[in-house]
Amino acid sequence: MRLTALNERAEMIGLKPGQGVAEAKAICPALDIVEEDLAADRKLLEAIADWCDRYTPLVAIDGKDGLFLDITGCAHLFGGEEALLEDILIRISGLGLDVRGAISSAPGLSWAVARFDDSRVVPPQAMEEALAPLPVASLRLGEETVAALQKLGLKQVGDLLAAPRAPLARRFGAQLLLRLDQAIGLAEEAISPRRPVAQLSAERRLAEPVQAEADLLRLAHALAETLKPGLEARGVGGRSFELLLFRVDGAVFRVAAGASQPLREPGRIAGLFTERFTAIHDDLDVGYGFEIVRLNVLQHAPFETAQGDFIGEDRQGTSLAAFVDRVAARLGPDCLQGFELRQSHVPERAVQPLHAMEILVPRRRTGGQDAGHGFFRGERPLRLFRVPEPIETFAAEVPDGPPRQFRWRRMMHRVQRAEGPERLAAEWWIEAEDDAPARDYFRVEDEDGHRYWLFRKGLYGRGGTAPDWFMHGIFP
């Protein structure tokens, strides 16, 4: 067992990462050792990343103990880069964490200064000057490469900057030069945010924290009003919303809500979160209150205007969508389902289940390739079994007639009326005819007036055995 991380007091008595626990105990018998928990460390780092969303939505996790923040266009909101860096360091230190940071024009340089120098802002004209005195390990190279460079006397980045590039590339590969160029800003380095960037966003920083759900809903309504002009300017409406609640002690809550149709009206947007708060009431710990409230539009879609009635409303067209949105917000998107038509004549493949919110989305039809959307209404049984159930038939007319009697679920049924057959051949582009024989479907009615949908799988005279019969659905 070895040490993986140390606090300041452990470093002061001479302990180092990688040192054996037994040796460390011999140096300091009163040493307090806590077993490493990688999952807990990752959860803490993600919580800090959520907290950093107050500065920029572009937050990426770097390794086990680091974060990248792309603050392009955000620094002026906090009084400049120096004020922003100072605010981050003071606030995170106030949470009981030891933190260092740096701001520069290159992610690689910020990484190097934050870990091997004092926390500061590096101006663009002083990038090489700030990087030169740092050790070569600050270039994010592998341990073997760092050891090889140190053996050659190249211990600082300044030694690499002064050395010819061609011999370095032949000896250590292109990765060394790439890291060097990234650190001084000659090569671009992308930062991948851990969360999708909002299409539109509105935020309210509060002088006094709020705790009541009614106050949060009023703030959501006010933020939705702020977003409405932006949605109108783009000709879109929001379909996926997120309400971020920043608690005063650093915890961040994300409340997501979706809409079946694009929304702009602040009242309907706030109504979605009314239902969400009802569903998550017990899980929302307000603590000492929330100091920042932000409303994000994560996904939007073209907004199609419709003619309203004489008072400017279209209640008939929005009632179903509003009902689906309210139920889905409270009980989840899986609670309501419908069906979408597909281009297949095989009953099991003719429709596929979809969330009701997806079915109500306006879709653009292109070239007649769309099989049609909406809640399924066809000439099939009201109840269609997902898997056809085998039945036992008696006195079936050969070769293409219906049975006179059949036994299904241990009950005998005598056929009084029948209609058919309706032959459905195999879809040869999906499966071979030998694997899926043709089906002959019959609509039959028994003595009690119950109607069923039966089919014969295969044809008489094909193969050595008689074809099988199945029950596939029930008519109302």
Side-chain angles (χ1 to χ4, degrees):
M1 297 182 64
R2 297 187 176 275
L3 303 180
T4 58
L6 304 169
N7 60 7
E8 293 181 356
R9 294 188 61 185
E11 291 176 349
M12 291 176 60
I13 62 177
L15 302 182
K16 298 179 180 180
Q19 192 173 20
V21 173
E23 182 181 356
K25 284 281 191 179
I27 297 175
C28 180
L31 187 65
D32 185 14
I33 297 176
V34 179
E35 186 176 356
E36 184 180 30
D37 188 344
L38 296 178
D41 293 343
R42 181 72 177 189
K43 186 176 180 181
L44 174 62
L45 187 60
E46 291 179 349
I48 299 175
D50 286 337
W51 180 87
C52 288
D53 277 353
R54 66 182 60 211
Y55 299 103
T56 172
L58 304 177
V59 181
I61 292 180
D62 174 51
K64 297 181 179 180
D65 59 352
L67 296 174
F68 277 125
L69 278 67
D70 188 346
I71 60 171
T72 304
C74 301
H76 69 281
L77 301 175
F78 301 90
E81 294 180 348
E82 294 184 357
L84 187 149
L85 179 60
E86 182 181 3
D87 186 72
I88 292 177
L89 299 181
I90 291 177
R91 285 176 176 268
I92 297 182
S93 298
L95 298 176
L97 301 173
D98 184 15
V99 60
R100 289 181 292 179
I103 295 178
S104 72
S105 300
L109 179 58
S110 298
W111 190 94
V113 173
R115 285 168 170 78
F116 296 91
D117 203 347
D118 295 331
S119 299
R120 59 194 176 101
V121 177
V122 180
Q125 64 274 13
M127 296 178 66
E128 292 191 12
E129 180 183 352
L131 188 64
L134 302 182
V136 292
S138 64
L139 294 178
R140 297 174 293 172
L141 302 172
E143 295 181 359
E144 296 180 358
T145 303
V146 172
L149 290 170
Q150 291 175 347
K151 287 182 180 180
L152 295 177
L154 303 173
K155 298 182 180 180
Q156 295 180 338
V157 179
D159 301 332
L160 298 177
L161 293 174
R165 294 174 66 92
L168 291 176
R170 287 195 300 268
R171 182 71 179 271
F172 301 101
Q175 182 69 13
L176 172 60
L177 298 182
L178 176 62
R179 289 302 191 187
L180 186 61
D181 291 342
Q182 288 176 343
I184 59 179
L186 296 180
E188 294 290 337
E189 183 176 0
I191 294 179
S192 299
R194 55 189 293 266
R195 294 186 179 275
V197 181
Q199 305 291 336
L200 287 172
S201 181
E203 180 179 286
R204 185 71 59 86
R205 294 176 178 267
L206 307 174
E208 294 291 337
V210 297
Q211 294 178 315
E213 290 186 4
D215 295 334
L216 294 175
L217 291 174
R218 280 195 292 269
L219 287 171
H221 189 279
L223 294 175
E225 289 182 342
T226 305
L227 291 176
K228 186 176 180 180
L231 294 172
E232 292 176 344
R234 300 187 181 193
V236 298
R239 287 208 57 228
S240 178
F241 302 91
E242 182 183 52
L243 189 66
L244 269 69
L245 306 174
F246 295 83
R247 207 167 63 184
V248 294
D249 61 351
V252 180
F253 293 86
R254 298 176 181 271
V255 183
S260 58
Q261 294 181 342
L263 297 182
R264 289 180 184 171
E265 291 301 320
R268 290 194 60 186
I269 296 175
L272 297 178
F273 291 103
T274 302
E275 301 297 336
R276 289 297 299 142
F277 281 145
T278 302
I280 64 173
H281 178 78
D282 296 334
D283 298 330
L284 186 62
D285 184 7
V286 298
Y288 290 103
F290 301 102
E291 59 180 349
I292 301 177
V293 179
R294 180 187 301 165
L295 180 60
N296 292 333
V297 179
L298 300 181
Q299 181 184 4
H300 58 60
F303 188 88
E304 299 180 0
T305 58
Q307 178 66 43
D309 54 20
F310 287 109
I311 61 174
E313 298 181 358
D314 183 19
R315 299 181 180 180
Q316 183 176 2
T318 60
S319 58
L320 177 59
F323 169 76
V324 171
D325 293 344
R326 291 185 59 187
V327 175
R330 179 173 296 193
L331 303 179
D334 299 335
C335 62
L336 293 177
Q337 286 189 338
F339 296 94
E340 180 184 54
L341 303 181
R342 300 179 60 189
Q343 293 180 343
S344 176
H345 57 262
V346 178
E348 304 95 288
R349 301 172 184 161
V351 295
Q352 63 178 353
L354 286 178
H355 300 324
M357 297 180 64
E358 295 295 329
I359 293 176
L360 294 175
V361 176
R363 310 201 185 196
R364 301 181 183 272
R365 305 175 186 268
T366 56
Q369 298 296 323
D370 195 354
H373 299 86
F375 292 93
F376 175 71
R377 288 178 174 84
E379 297 181 356
R380 295 300 187 221
L382 182 62
R383 180 182 180 188
L384 188 69
F385 299 137
R386 179 174 299 178
V387 178
E389 300 182 5
I391 62 175
E392 185 180 0
T393 60
F394 302 93
E397 299 179 7
V398 179
D400 297 326
R404 299 291 181 86
Q405 299 181 43
F406 64 90
R407 180 181 287 114
W408 175 53
R409 295 182 178 178
R410 299 184 181 182
M411 295 185 62
M412 185 67 71
H413 301 267
R414 185 181 299 274
V415 177
Q416 293 295 321
R417 298 177 181 83
E419 183 180 4
E422 175 189 358
R423 180 161 297 177
L424 299 180
E427 295 178 336
W428 54 267
W429 57 92
I430 297 178
E431 53 195 354
E433 186 176 357
D434 295 338
D435 298 332
R439 301 179 183 179
D440 280 349
Y441 278 86
F442 295 88
R443 289 186 287 271
V444 301
E445 183 177 336
D446 64 5
E447 295 176 327
D448 297 327
H450 300 145
R451 297 191 299 161
Y452 307 94
W453 204 39
L454 317 178
F455 74 87
R456 182 183 62 242
K457 187 176 183 181
L459 304 175
Y460 286 103
R462 303 281 183 90
T465 59
D468 297 323
W469 287 80
F470 295 88
M471 173 73 68
H472 205 164
I474 302 175
F475 290 94

